[in-house]
């Protein structure tokens, strides 16, 4: 039995191998960089041909932007079902998977019916394990077989990010404000505390929808998923879509006027009170200790 | 220029996921409904491109049961083909990168493949330039650009724009636009079959109350020191 994996640089692909080894077969891999510049239809065509040649029992990829994109194309061109963002799979007939819905706030058990199950693996749901490394597929052979139509969709240009500072996703400390901040100007005290902690400022979806902060600051299911050492959530109720973005934080401190807000029981530490009083008091206290 | 935006109605969940008794759907009796956030941005982008608003709508009304990505795409493709037959082709089709609820990450691409049109996904920039569309995709280390010939399909993400909240006159105008309802479109075979939903448990976090109001500040800073961020 063989399993084919689409490999990218980084941990999510290494974690995907952990699940792929559940098939207890020989692993083969196509690198996401096999086609340069990135051309997702071409990669899907290569995966299709390689899986056919290998008689692969399943095709897996990490549930990253690239992984989900290429695997959905493979699903579309083969008419096979795709289960995205799996956190478990049992190789049987039919394959039974557990997958994330609502950004991980809900789990779905499902069965996949088709000749070859296609799965993407939710990032950071598996440990990286030691085991047989995948055998690289002879990419050149499949590149020579590509149809020009499979290269119509390709990256033609890369724009570097506007410089400056650590990204929200990589920040060690994030201080976020929600509806309770009240206005664009209200973020001054959040920025002040973030400055003292060397933290990045984040926010909830309510805040970006109101236009108080740019979407690049949004933490949540449809914003950025973060995993800092500390997350300070000020005036954020803790809706599931927000928690989907910050559950990777090692510690969460919630500051909220409403002791019944969901976040007050989802955090490690809580302070009940008006953030407009609590946040400046914390900043003042930090200054005293300098 | 003719544009189609595909949107999905999803429950407006709050702080807690509550399952219906049969555990195959959310309990929605006490919830409102909305459209997936990514798709809200698709609507805004299309309205902005057309500078006049939505002309008409097609409502694919199901029995409310779970549809997998394949069946959903097939129903949408059926509606698109019928519409294009009657009123000419769409130049650009928007879909969300993934729905807020099921998160299958595939409907837009399946629609594109069935129609034989190029598709770029997860876009935060979409600009029609003559007979092509320039697409920008966030990669975490900047943006990748794709230029697709029209007609094309694009899947978009929140952050593409800031959707406006519909005004009261806008809602009244919208209510007068023609809407075709396709009741219970045929559901293709389900190859990803939902067995059961569950709310992830796990140990969770033990919450420690550090105090109330400004007087909690010393305890907070002590904790920040323990964590090692002060």
């Amino acid at each position: 039995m063989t399993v084919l994996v689409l490999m990218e640089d980084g941990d999510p692909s290494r974690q995907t191998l952990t699940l792929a080894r559940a098939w207890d077969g020989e692993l083969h891999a196509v690198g996401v960089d096999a086609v340069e510049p990135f051309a997702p239809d071409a990669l899907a065509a290569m995966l299709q041909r390689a899986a056919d040649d290998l008689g692969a029992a399943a095709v897996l990829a990490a549930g990253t932007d690239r992984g989900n994109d290429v695997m959905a194309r493979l699903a579309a061109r083969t008419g096979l079902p795709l289960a995205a963002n799996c956190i478990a799979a049992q190789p049987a007939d039919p394959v039974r998977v557990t997958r994330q819905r609502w950004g991980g706030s809900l789990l779905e058990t499902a069965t996949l019916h088709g000749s070859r199950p296609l799965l993407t693996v939710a990032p950071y749901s598996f440990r990286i394990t030691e085991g047989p490394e995948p055998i690289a597929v002879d990419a050149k052979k499949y590149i020579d077989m590509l149809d020009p139509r499979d290269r119509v969709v390709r990256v033609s240009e890369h724009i570097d990010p506007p410089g400056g500072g650590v990204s929200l996703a990589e920040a060690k400390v994030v201080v976020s404000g929600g509806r309770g901040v009240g206005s664009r100007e209200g973020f001054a005290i959040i920025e002040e505390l973030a400055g003292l902690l060397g933290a990045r400022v984040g926010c909830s979806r309510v805040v970006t929808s109101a236009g108080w902060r740019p979407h690049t600051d949004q933490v949540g299911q449809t914003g950025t998923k973060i995993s800092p050492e500390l997350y300070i959530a000020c005036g954020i109720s803790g809706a599931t879509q927000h928690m989907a973005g910050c559950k990777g934080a090692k510690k969460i401190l919630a500051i909220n006027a409403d002791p019944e807000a969901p976040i007050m029981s989802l955090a490690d530490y809580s302070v009940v009170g008006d953030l407009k009083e609590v946040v400046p008091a914390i900043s003042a206290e930090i200054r005293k200790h300098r | 220029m003719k544009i189609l935006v595909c949107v999905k109605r999803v429950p407006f969940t709050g702080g807690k996921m509550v399952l219906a008794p049969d555990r195959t759907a959310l309990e929605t009796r006490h919830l409102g409904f909305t459209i997936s956030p990514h798709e809200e941005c698709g609507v805004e982008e299309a309205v902005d491109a057309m500078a006049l608003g939505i002309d008409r709508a097609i409502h694919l009304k199901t029995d409310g049961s779970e549809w997998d990505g394949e069946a959903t795409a097939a129903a949408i493709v059926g509606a698109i083909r019928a519409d294009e037959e009657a009123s000419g082709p769409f130049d650009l089709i928007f879909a969300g990168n993934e729905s807020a609820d099921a998160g299958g990450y595939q409907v837009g691409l399946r629609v594109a493949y069935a129609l034989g049109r190029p598709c770029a996904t997860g876009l935060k920039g979409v600009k029609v330039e003559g007979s092509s569309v320039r697409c920008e995709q966030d990669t975490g280390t900047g943006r990748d650009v794709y230029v697709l010939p029209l007609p094309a399909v694009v899947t978009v993400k929140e952050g593409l724009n800031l959707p406006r909240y519909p005004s009261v006159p806008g809602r009244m105008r919208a209510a007068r636009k023609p809407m075709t309802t396709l009741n219970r479109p045929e559901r293709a075979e389900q190859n990803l079959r939902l067995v059961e939903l569950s709310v992830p448990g796990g140990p969770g976090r033990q919450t420690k109350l550090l105090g109330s109001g400004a007087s909690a500040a010393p305890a907070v800073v002590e904790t920040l020191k323990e964590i090692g961020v002060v």
Side-chain angles (χ1 to χ4, degrees), chain A residues 51-104:
Chain A
D52 284 346
D53 289 350
L54 292 162
V59 185
L60 278 72
T64 56
D65 289 342
R66 292 278 200 246
N68 281 327
D69 179 321
V70 172
M71 291 296 281
R73 292 173 202 264
L74 177 61
R77 64 193 302 141
T78 54
L80 289 169
L82 164 68
N85 290 319
C86 296
I87 62 160
Q90 288 156 329
D93 190 22
V95 169
R96 195 181 177 90
V97 298
T98 305
R99 56 177 298 271
Q100 295 182 338
R101 294 169 74 107
W102 291 102

Side-chain angles (χ1 to χ4, degrees), chain A residues 5-41:
Chain A
V5 183
L6 176 69
M7 290 294 289
E8 294 173 71
D9 283 340
D11 288 347
S13 283
R14 308 289 308 162
Q15 294 154 1
T16 298
L17 292 179
T18 301
L19 182 60
R21 290 186 186 114
W23 267 262
D24 201 20
E26 206 170 61
L27 298 183
H28 292 255
V30 170
V32 78
D33 56 0
V35 187
E36 292 280 5
F38 178 70
D41 292 316

Side-chain angles (χ1 to χ4, degrees), chain B residues 71-127:
Chain B
T72 305
I76 293 171
V77 168
I80 291 173
R81 287 207 172 114
D83 194 86
E84 291 193 332
E85 189 102 340
S87 349
F90 293 104
D91 299 286
L92 193 55
I93 298 175
F94 284 84
N97 188 60
E98 87 279 0
S99 61
D101 58 347
Y105 289 81
Q106 56 193 270
V107 171
L109 276 166
R110 287 191 188 270
V111 168
Y113 262 76
L115 298 173
R117 295 176 199 177
C119 179
T121 67
L123 305 180
K124 294 210 175 167
V126 176
K127 192 161 185 271

Side-chain angles (χ1 to χ4, degrees), chain B residues 61-73:
Chain B
K61 199 170 177 181
T62 71
D63 59 359
S65 68
E66 175 76 9
W67 284 45
D68 71 4
E70 243 178 314
T72 305

Side-chain angles (χ1 to χ4, degrees), chain A residues 38 40-41 44 63 65-66 68-70 72-77 79-85 96-114 150 152-161 167 172-173 193 196-197 205 208-211 215-216 218 221-223 225 229-230 232 238-241 246-253 262-274 277-278 281-282 285-286 288-290, chain B residues 8 10-19 24-26 34-38 40 66 68-70 97-107 109-111 113-114 117-122 124 134 136-149 157-163 189-201 204-227 229-230:
Chain A
F38 178 70
D41 292 316
D65 289 342
R66 292 278 200 246
N68 281 327
D69 179 321
V70 172
R73 292 173 202 264
L74 177 61
R77 64 193 302 141
L80 289 169
L82 164 68
N85 290 319
R96 195 181 177 90
V97 298
T98 305
R99 56 177 298 271
Q100 295 182 338
R101 294 169 74 107
W102 291 102
S105 302
L106 196 63
L107 299 177
E108 168 188 355
T109 307
T111 50
L112 273 158
H113 301 263
D150 288 326
V152 169
V153 180
R154 65 177 188 278
V155 173
S156 54
E157 187 190 332
H158 182 79
I159 304 168
D160 287 327
S167 74
K172 288 268 182 285
V173 182
L193 177 57
L196 288 166
L197 295 171
R205 184 162 182 260
T208 45
S209 297
H215 187 270
T216 45
Q218 186 179 316
Q221 186 184 336
T222 52
K225 294 193 170 76
E229 296 292 319
L230 173 66
I232 304 182
T240 52
Q241 289 89 336
C246 68
K247 65 181 179 218
K250 286 222 177 68
K251 296 287 180 191
I252 299 176
L253 164 63
I263 199 160
M264 298 299 262
S265 55
L266 297 168
D268 299 279
Y269 309 101
S270 65
V271 174
V272 180
D274 183 350
E277 293 166 13
V278 178
I282 296 171
E285 187 72 19
I286 293 172
K288 267 201 271 176
H289 286 258
R290 291 267 154 109
Chain B
K8 182 181 184 184
V10 297
F12 206 126
T13 61
K16 218 172 158 190
M17 294 284 182
V18 181
L19 297 180
T24 63
L26 283 179
T34 182
I35 62 175
S36 280
H38 295 327
E40 251 177 46
E66 175 76 9
D68 71 4
E70 243 178 314
N97 188 60
E98 87 279 0
S99 61
D101 58 347
Y105 289 81
Q106 56 193 270
V107 171
L109 276 166
R110 287 191 188 270
V111 168
Y113 262 76
R117 295 176 199 177
C119 179
T121 67
K124 294 210 175 167
R134 180 187 159 93
E136 292 187 13
Q137 185 183 57
D138 251 354
T139 62
T141 57
R143 286 187 168 196
D144 278 342
V145 179
Y146 302 75
V147 179
L148 309 182
K157 275 191 180 178
E158 192 177 77
L160 172 68
N161 51 42
L162 187 59
E189 196 189 348
Q190 294 274 112
N191 292 317
L192 178 66
R193 294 182 199 155
L194 184 148
V195 177
E196 193 180 59
L197 298 176
S198 61
V199 180
R205 298 174 196 255
Q206 291 288 330
T207 311
K208 183 178 174 191
L209 179 66
L210 297 178
S212 296
S215 63
V220 169
V221 174
E222 272 315 302
T223 304
L224 298 183
K225 280 183 176 170
E226 280 167 30
I227 299 171
V229 297
V230 170

Side-chain angles (χ1 to χ4, degrees), chain A residues 195-214:
Chain A
L196 288 166
L197 295 171
R200 264 290 311 252
V201 172
C203 67
S204 67
R205 184 162 182 260
V206 176
V207 169
T208 45
S209 297
W212 300 345
R213 303 287 300 186

